[in-house]
Amino acid sequence: MMNKKWWSGVLTAAMVIGLLSGCGGGAKGNEAQEGSEQGGGKTNLRLYTYGTEEAYNWKKTIQAYEEATPGVSIELVQLSEKGDTQEAFKKLDLEAASSAQMDILMFSDPAGYAQRVALGMAEPLDDFIAKDGYSVETDYKVDTRLDGKVYALPGKFNPWYVLLNKDHLEEAGLPVPTDWTWDEYADYAKKLTQGEGASKRYGTYFHGPQGGGWLEFLKLMMANQPQDTDYLKADGSSNLDNPTFRKTLELRVRMEKEDQSSVPYTDMISQKLNYRTQFFNQSASMITIGSWMNTEIGGTDKVPLDFNVAVAPFPKNEKGDPTGLTPVTTDYVAVAAKSKHKEEAYKFVRWYTTEGQIVQGKNIPAWQQVKTEQVEEIIDTILSATKSPEKVDKKSLVDTLVASKASAIVPPAPYQAEVYEAVNEEYEKLILGNQDIDQTVANSQERVNKIIESNKK
């Protein structure tokens, strides 16, 4: 359930879209609409995407679909030549406000997806899905439901995982973990830490959250739960009384202050450290990060790889917790509500998010039916583009990706940035020694509740 201020903003934006639509949309939009039916009864579908050819292999993917579906052609509308999602969203919103033909839409993150669903841009897919006889929660690793309805199917699957310096593990006599807890992660970090002073090698590096970004690192023990994985719950109330928030703070303080196995926050700030250089320079033996790093873990021209790398799953809180739950990024692929060819558009969306992901060969699919050997083939292709693919423990990477799955979406509030900033400021007071954990939790809760209240009408 979204708050009144959110819906007020949504309705205002919807009115703007309605007004702009009434202005005619220009010749481009009208031509596109007229061109939706090609000669011989062929249906032309327009696919709006931020994805570049380099990252998404569109020519090959679209050709494969058109060959398999002779009555349909796919027209690609690239919203950003650089793959810039913010630029793409702005252009997408302008197109939605015009009379341009829109059939298939791609959203890059839960916030952008939820916001545009609230604006009525995406068609509910539940009837199509029921007719096909599957459910999103069993057929895909990402549950895309919002308020109980499905408005998009997930494309790529980028779970978070742990990158490990395999040479450092062997020196310490530690195996590559296949299922572990945060306590075991902390134990590994302690055993991997060596030396003192400027040349000290730390067991781990947690990026951010300086400047209010990368707040993922202050909800590590929230993020591996089936529900309520963010600072706000789905109903918009605070989630900071969740014990996993306190436990994450305790973990971070313990590793940095007591074990001294995690790169100090003051060093991050003063030296403007980055997770890539910390790991590839071997200044830290482990980093927790997203699997967008698949394209880099074999080393690049800019950042070469001089050691062996292994991959482990995102740690659990308790041994009995479900294995594989982790933060995930995906593409939300939707049918445009204004499409005149919704069934044909849905068929493409379903194909693209299943077999089409295999054809594309650029990312691990969110589709549950993908076989391990198909994941291996995609990983081989990705690693072959790196400088030293032989230094990557491919089995540990594939096993981790296959075992990973996403938690339920928590639709972000429009004031999410304010919440992040408040939590970040309270964490800084904690980690810099200006307040204890009790004060940090209490102050964070109080400030977030005030933000929630001030955004209600």
Side-chain angles (χ1 to χ4, degrees), residues 91-374:
K91 288 184 179 176
L92 183 68
D93 292 344
L94 286 171
E95 286 285 286
S98 76
S99 60
Q101 178 198 344
M102 304 181 86
D103 299 295
I104 301 149
L105 313 175
M106 280 179 65
F107 307 120
S108 59
D109 60 78
Y113 167 49
Q115 186 178 358
R116 282 153 189 86
V117 164
L119 286 169
M121 284 173 61
E123 181 75 9
L125 303 180
D126 302 84
D127 290 345
F128 295 116
I129 291 168
K131 190 176 175 183
D132 277 357
Y134 68 93
S135 64
V136 170
E137 60 269 33
T138 56
D139 232 40
Y140 294 91
K141 293 185 175 188
V142 181
D143 186 347
T144 57
R145 287 176 297 184
L146 291 171
D147 290 334
K149 288 187 176 183
V150 177
Y151 295 90
L153 297 179
K156 69 184 180 187
F157 180 70
N158 277 349
W160 280 49
Y161 51 27
V162 179
L163 294 182
L164 307 103
N165 185 312
K166 198 174 180 183
D167 295 354
H168 292 175
L169 289 183
E170 288 175 1
E171 285 171 17
L174 296 170
V176 177
T178 56
D179 186 13
W180 56 342
T181 64
W182 282 112
D183 282 342
E184 289 168 327
Y185 182 98
D187 185 53
Y188 264 59
K190 199 172 179 180
K191 290 174 179 174
L192 290 165
T193 300
Q194 285 188 3
E196 295 293 338
S199 61
K200 180 174 180 176
R201 187 185 85 197
Y202 288 90
T204 193
Y205 175 86
F206 291 118
H207 196 52
Q210 62 267 32
W214 291 93
L215 266 289
E216 290 87 351
F217 292 96
L218 294 186
K219 53 182 178 181
L220 295 171
M221 298 178 81
M222 277 185 179
N224 55 15
Q225 302 301 294
Q227 304 282 338
D228 295 334
T229 58
D230 212 328
Y231 302 118
L232 300 177
K233 295 179 183 176
D235 64 5
S237 62
S238 172
N239 194 29
L240 296 183
D241 57 356
N242 190 316
T244 57
F245 176 58
R246 171 184 282 273
K247 286 180 180 177
T248 300
L249 296 179
E250 289 171 347
L251 176 77
R252 294 294 307 273
V253 170
R254 168 188 157 195
M255 294 182 70
E256 180 171 331
K257 303 296 186 183
E258 296 170 27
D259 298 348
Q260 297 183 6
S261 60
S262 176
V263 176
Y265 189 77
T266 50
D267 288 4
M268 289 183 212
I269 302 290
S270 62
Q271 299 174 37
K272 297 180 180 176
L273 299 179
N274 180 275
Y275 64 88
R276 283 181 177 84
T277 48
Q278 285 294 290
F279 184 68
F280 285 105
N281 290 348
Q282 304 193 65
S283 301
S285 301
M286 304 189 296
I287 58 169
T288 304
I289 203 67
S291 56
W292 57 78
M293 289 296 291
N294 288 348
T295 57
E296 301 178 44
I297 56 176
T300 61
D301 287 330
K302 193 174 181 181
V303 186
L305 177 65
D306 299 320
F307 55 93
N308 293 297
V309 173
V311 182
F314 197 78
K316 307 188 295 190
N317 296 348
E318 307 290 342
K319 284 189 179 292
D321 287 352
T323 301
L325 279 169
T326 179
V328 166
T329 56
T330 189
D331 295 320
Y332 299 88
V333 192
V335 173
K338 66 192 286 188
S339 173
K340 292 185 176 179
H341 308 286
K342 292 186 177 70
E343 187 167 354
E344 293 89 344
Y346 162 75
K347 285 178 180 175
F348 174 81
V349 169
R350 174 63 172 163
W351 176 86
Y352 174 73
T353 59
T354 55
E355 299 166 48
Q357 291 293 293
I358 309 297
V359 172
Q360 201 167 57
K362 284 287 189 177
N363 296 288
I364 304 305
W367 188 35
Q368 289 275 27
Q369 305 305 316
V370 66
K371 296 178 176 64
T372 301
E373 56 266 28
Q374 290 172 315

Side-chain angles (χ1 to χ4, degrees), residues 17 20-21 25 28-30 32 46-48 75 77-79 88-103 105 121 338:
I17 284 177
L20 286 170
S21 297
K28 179 185 170 188
N30 294 332
R46 301 186 91 215
L47 164 58
Y48 285 78
E75 178 188 348
V77 183
Q78 286 188 299
L79 296 164
F89 270 135
K90 287 175 184 174
K91 288 184 179 176
L92 183 68
D93 292 344
L94 286 171
E95 286 285 286
S98 76
S99 60
Q101 178 198 344
M102 304 181 86
D103 299 295
L105 313 175
M121 284 173 61
K338 66 192 286 188

